[in-house]
Amino acid sequence: MKFFIDTGDVGEIREAYAMGLVDGVTTNPSLIAKSGRKYRDVVVDICEIVNGPISAEVLTTSYDEMMAEARDWHKVHKNIVVKLPLIPEGLKAVKTCAEEGIRTNVTLCFSPVQALLAAKAGASYISPFIGRLDDVGETGMELIAKIVTIYNNYNFETEVLVASVRNPVHVVDAAMLGADICTIPFSVMLQLSKHPLTDTGLKKFVEDAKKIPR
Ligand code: E4P
């Protein structure tokens, strides 16, 4: 399973990249707003660090405006994937982007049939938001299972990019289901390496290492 990092913080991307945990990056308007920087500046910086798919989301919602943004992003860097919302206008833009060779990540997916539509329109990636489904009392991971089954049934090439990941269990469950990618916040990436037995075991090794004659 590929790991993307879900952030607009270039410092976090550098740290995670150094640990070999970054195959790509996803951003969204909320993450970029937190950075206090211009969207384009952040994405250009990211493209210099990571040689993989970098999702940049459109800031408009009409077909014409989204296509203008998509074509602009496509000119900025070859690794940029245009993130489009799962609405009828967004699906139209996904189809045109596919025809023009612009890769897309369809965002804000909350149902299996929405994922089916995105694949039919020619999306490169589908982003089901599992944490937000858990937040409203549904089981986000059930959505991933259904999408993986549907895409396998029909050999869709759209990759399943598990989004809105909130904890290590989400990552393990996504991997068990065979999802293509998890996009993970930096804080969760750090949690992934943690185990209390690793910490106590290392403490003992460090203590015993001092007893070894040198
Ligand atoms: C990624 O593509 C999404 O924008 C992101 O994972 C949303 O996560 P959130 O639900 O924690 O905001």
Side-chain angles (χ1 to χ4, degrees):
M1 185 171 65
K2 284 171 271 185
F3 274 19
F4 288 4
I5 185 166
D6 194 28
T7 187
D9 182 325
V10 174
E12 290 184 351
I13 295 170
R14 282 205 179 92
E15 276 290 305
Y17 187 76
M19 289 189 279
L21 299 180
V22 181
D23 300 306
V25 181
T26 52
T27 65
N28 65 36
S30 309
L31 293 170
I32 298 293
K34 267 193 232 166
S35 78
R37 302 177 61 205
K38 289 187 180 161
Y39 209 147
R40 189 188 169 107
D41 293 349
V42 175
V43 172
V44 167
D45 281 357
I46 295 171
C47 289
E48 281 169 14
I49 304 166
V50 178
N51 184 19
I54 314 297
S55 287
E57 188 159 338
V58 295
L59 305 178
T60 54
T61 53
S62 74
Y63 169 80
D64 287 336
E65 290 171 308
M66 288 191 282
M67 277 315 304
E69 287 193 67
R71 290 179 183 124
D72 276 351
W73 277 123
H74 189 56
K75 283 185 216 140
V76 172
H77 196 281
K78 67 177 172 51
N79 284 343
I80 294 178
V81 174
V82 179
K83 212 165 164 192
L84 294 160
L86 215 161
I87 57 174
E89 291 286 283
L91 291 173
K92 278 160 60 180
V94 170
K95 180 174 184 294
T96 305
C97 283
E99 287 161 359
E100 295 185 9
I102 301 173
R103 286 183 298 160
T104 54
N105 172 0
V106 178
T107 189
L108 292 166
C109 172
F110 294 97
S111 79
V113 78
Q114 285 183 315
L116 179 57
L117 297 187
K120 287 185 73 66
S124 315
Y125 303 93
I126 184 69
S127 286
F129 277 32
I130 57 169
R132 293 192 196 184
L133 281 171
D134 290 352
D135 289 345
V136 296
E138 295 188 38
T139 305
M141 208 47 70
E142 285 173 6
L143 173 59
I144 303 305
K146 287 179 183 169
I147 297 172
V148 168
T149 300
I150 291 168
Y151 282 10
N152 285 343
N153 283 349
Y154 298 100
N155 294 321
F156 283 118
E157 287 178 10
T158 307
E159 291 189 65
V160 180
L161 197 175
V162 179
S164 190
V165 165
R166 302 272 165 79
N167 57 59
V169 176
H170 280 157
V171 178
V172 174
D173 287 348
M176 296 287 287
L177 289 170
D180 300 285
I181 307 152
C182 245
T183 188
I184 310 170
F186 184 60
S187 56
V188 176
M189 280 189 176
L190 292 178
Q191 286 178 320
L192 293 176
S193 69
K194 290 279 179 200
H195 196 286
L197 291 178
T198 304
D199 294 340
T200 51
L202 181 61
K203 190 165 176 275
K204 177 90 169 74
F205 284 154
V206 168
E207 282 163 8
D208 290 344
K210 291 178 196 150
K211 300 172 195 160
I212 299 172
R214 303 191 185 226

